[in-house]
Amino acid sequence: MEKEKVLVLFGSPRHNGNTRAIVDAFIEARNFEPEFIFVNQLNMKGCQGCLYCQAHGGECKPKDEMTPLYDKIKNAKKIIMAFPMFYASFPGEYKRMIDRLFAVSHMETDGKKNYYGSFWPKGRDIFVIVSHGNSIEEVYPSIVRSIRYMCIETNSTLKGWYFSPPCDFFDVKKDKSYLSDLLEAARDF
């Protein structure tokens, strides 16, 4: 049987750390064929706020290593967004990638309020995997809220999320007891 392809937008600067162990366990359990994009290695500017994209059908003005990533994201059917939580948020480079996805957001205004959609057609399912040390659960909603907003801009569907057990106190590489919770969180993905 042919494996289902999945694009992994991997946000950890440590390519073989806790985040990778969780993602690899998930990919193996679901029998996916992954394509990894290591966001930390991309040479890209942050969003310039120039709104060039709004006048040019979703094309981002800066041309850098984010440019080919637009088509990869647009054409993927399934995307795993995987990253460690840094100071109750995204790693800096990962946030930069998310901010650059504003380029495909279609913005209209009625003079009093902006309405957001996407230049892209529907078609991507997204699942989020977040590893962390000893974070407090109160920060989880802000990360999910940011991803939900990104899904509006990219016309994607958020199919679930999983926050790991605290990796400072739990060896996710040796003890995969978290896997049943992870697979349950991803049941719709």
Side-chain angles (χ1 to χ4, degrees):
M1 185 168 125
E2 190 173 321
K3 290 184 174 188
E4 189 173 17
K5 294 183 180 191
V6 65
L7 179 66
V8 181
L9 299 175
F10 191 81
S12 178
R14 296 186 317 137
H15 296 182
N16 293 306
N18 294 322
T19 306
R20 182 64 183 261
I22 295 167
V23 170
D24 284 349
F26 179 58
I27 287 170
E28 183 180 336
R30 290 289 300 269
N31 198 31
F32 285 132
E33 180 183 327
E35 177 184 358
F36 278 84
I37 303 294
F38 296 99
V39 175
N40 182 269
Q41 292 181 336
L42 297 178
N43 182 10
M44 66 178 149
K45 289 183 173 187
C47 178
Q48 302 298 293
C50 64
L51 299 179
Y52 178 90
C53 54
Q54 296 302 301
H56 293 87
E59 179 187 345
C60 189
K61 188 173 185 177
K63 303 300 182 221
D64 54 25
E65 290 184 342
M66 181 66 188
T67 305
L69 191 51
Y70 287 113
D71 280 339
K72 284 189 179 289
I73 295 171
K74 178 182 177 182
N75 295 321
K77 297 295 180 204
K78 289 190 177 288
I79 299 172
I80 297 171
M81 297 183 73
F83 51 90
M85 190 183 308
F86 282 8
Y87 203 69
S89 190
F90 303 95
E93 295 83 0
Y94 211 80
K95 179 69 167 81
R96 182 179 300 157
M97 176 199 66
I98 291 171
D99 287 349
R100 286 285 295 277
L101 288 170
F102 174 76
V104 303
S105 174
H106 183 253
M107 183 174 59
E108 293 185 18
T109 184
D110 65 6
K112 297 178 186 170
K113 184 177 179 182
N114 290 335
Y115 299 92
Y116 293 91
S118 181
F119 285 110
W120 286 354
K122 289 186 178 187
R124 287 147 301 287
D125 288 342
I126 293 178
F127 184 72
V128 178
I129 296 175
V130 183
S131 66
H132 61 92
N134 189 18
S135 297
I136 55 173
E137 291 182 17
E138 288 80 3
V139 301
Y140 299 177
S142 66
I143 290 175
V144 172
R145 187 171 36 255
S146 293
I147 298 293
R148 284 185 192 279
Y149 185 75
M150 185 216 69
C151 285
I152 293 169
E153 291 182 338
T154 60
N155 217 353
S156 302
T157 303
L158 181 59
K159 291 291 191 169
W161 54 88
Y162 176 75
F163 289 84
S164 75
C167 297
D168 287 352
F169 308 107
F170 183 79
D171 190 342
V172 298
K173 293 178 182 179
K174 292 181 182 173
D175 181 355
K176 293 189 168 86
S177 60
Y178 61 87
L179 193 54
S180 62
D181 290 339
L182 171 55
L183 292 172
E184 176 60 25
R187 69 186 173 280
D188 294 330
F189 179 65

